[in-house]
Amino acid sequence: MLKLASWNVNSLKIRLDQVIQWLDSTGTDILALQETKLLDEHFPVTAFVEKGYYVVFSGQKTYNGVAIISRYPFSDVLTAIPDFEDPQRRILAVTVAGIRLINLYVPNGSELTSEKYQYKLNWLQRVTSFIQQQMTIYPNVAVVGDFNIAPEDRDVHDPAEWIGSVLVSPAEREAFTQLLQLGLHDSFRNFIQNEQAFSWWDYRAGAFRRNRGLRIDHILLNEALNTLCKQSIIDKEPRKAERPSDHAPVWVELDFKVS
DNA sequence: ATGGTGGTCTTACCA
């Protein structure tokens, strides 16, 4: 069994101890991180290596930043979408344990009238083409991360309240559907889940306590991996900690023999 | 209740 996870940590500097402890306590094999907010020269390599993990990262100062922590080594690392100029560090693609793993920190989009929203839609279009190309090359593909899209109304605590907002707009949901149409599966929906299951809660107004959240962190699997998926879980426990990330980690268990 | 919190080489911006 292979445990593959994704977590937007909202600053790895602040959350390092929580991440290490979560890795230890869950026995996670591969963890994709988003919003590390660290320059590469500041990445805490030693903290992971001394625990027996390999690390790969693509960061920048203050914003964005992605990384992958793994018990297995990496090859064929990409830190940008080919032929797409983008100063923001939001993608990390690696081959690890026989899986092509694509870790995404999709732009938030700010608001529908914002230039950032156009950037988000354009970025999603570019990344979708890239993933389509990757799926022709690699037999086992997992696309994970903070998608900043709640795919359906059941992924939103109060759909009426969110109409007209980013994370739920029709164009964003269409972009998510386009990803699924490449042959990817939203692993969470392989299984019967509790209602009101979310992966992100605003820090403000007691949103977590009141479970006013959205499900915007996803693990998408191609057909070959999806048939091996035995569980897909949102772990709310770390969100209850002191000084938590605003996101919960999500993970899947794959009945997958590492070759 | 249109507020509120948290992160960052902060006092503005992002989420």
Side-chain angles (χ1 to χ4, degrees), chain A residues 179-190:
Chain A
L179 280 171
L180 299 186
Q181 284 179 353
L182 298 179
L184 293 167
H185 300 263
D186 179 354
S187 64
F188 192 72
R189 296 303 179 197
N190 288 341

Side-chain angles (χ1 to χ4, degrees), chain A residues 22-40:
Chain A
W22 188 80
L23 279 170
D24 279 348
S25 64
T26 59
T28 296
D29 297 296
I30 305 170
L31 172 60
L33 299 174
Q34 304 85 37
E35 282 206 272
T36 55
K37 300 186 174 181
L38 287 172
L39 283 169
D40 289 348

Side-chain angles (χ1 to χ4, degrees), chain A residues 101-164:
Chain A
L101 174 60
I102 302 171
N103 177 16
L104 305 181
Y105 176 44
V106 176
N108 171 282
S110 188
E111 47 188 289
L112 300 197
T113 54
S114 164
E115 278 183 21
K116 295 194 185 82
Y117 181 70
Q118 290 307 317
Y119 166 70
K120 177 180 195 171
L121 295 179
N122 184 45
W123 195 94
L124 283 163
Q125 202 167 25
R126 294 301 194 122
V127 88
T128 301
S129 297
F130 169 68
I131 292 164
Q132 181 173 34
Q133 179 264 347
Q134 294 281 283
M135 289 178 72
T136 66
I137 302 172
Y138 297 98
N140 302 311
V141 178
V143 183
V144 312
D146 176 0
F147 287 70
N148 271 317
I149 301 171
E152 300 176 55
D153 277 354
R154 61 178 164 163
D155 301 311
V156 179
H157 66 87
D158 184 345
E161 185 180 313
W162 277 82
I163 289 172

Side-chain angles (χ1 to χ4, degrees), chain A residues 37-40 58-65 87-89:
Chain A
K37 300 186 174 181
L38 287 172
L39 283 169
D40 289 348
S58 175
Q60 66 183 87
K61 195 171 73 171
T62 308
Y63 302 117
N64 309 314
Q88 303 190 27
R89 306 287 87 193

Side-chain angles (χ1 to χ4, degrees), chain A residues 26-92:
Chain A
T26 59
T28 296
D29 297 296
I30 305 170
L31 172 60
L33 299 174
Q34 304 85 37
E35 282 206 272
T36 55
K37 300 186 174 181
L38 287 172
L39 283 169
D40 289 348
E41 55 260 46
H42 296 149
F43 196 91
V45 174
T46 311
F48 295 107
V49 167
E50 70 188 9
K51 290 277 185 179
Y53 294 100
Y54 298 86
V55 294
V56 63
F57 40 83
S58 175
Q60 66 183 87
K61 195 171 73 171
T62 308
Y63 302 117
N64 309 314
V66 282
I68 301 172
I69 316 298
S70 170
R71 295 189 190 281
Y72 304 98
F74 309 105
S75 62
D76 301 314
V77 175
L78 273 182
T79 59
I81 301 168
D83 306 316
F84 179 48
E85 281 293 320
D86 186 7
Q88 303 190 27
R89 306 287 87 193
R90 295 182 174 276
I91 183 166
L92 188 54

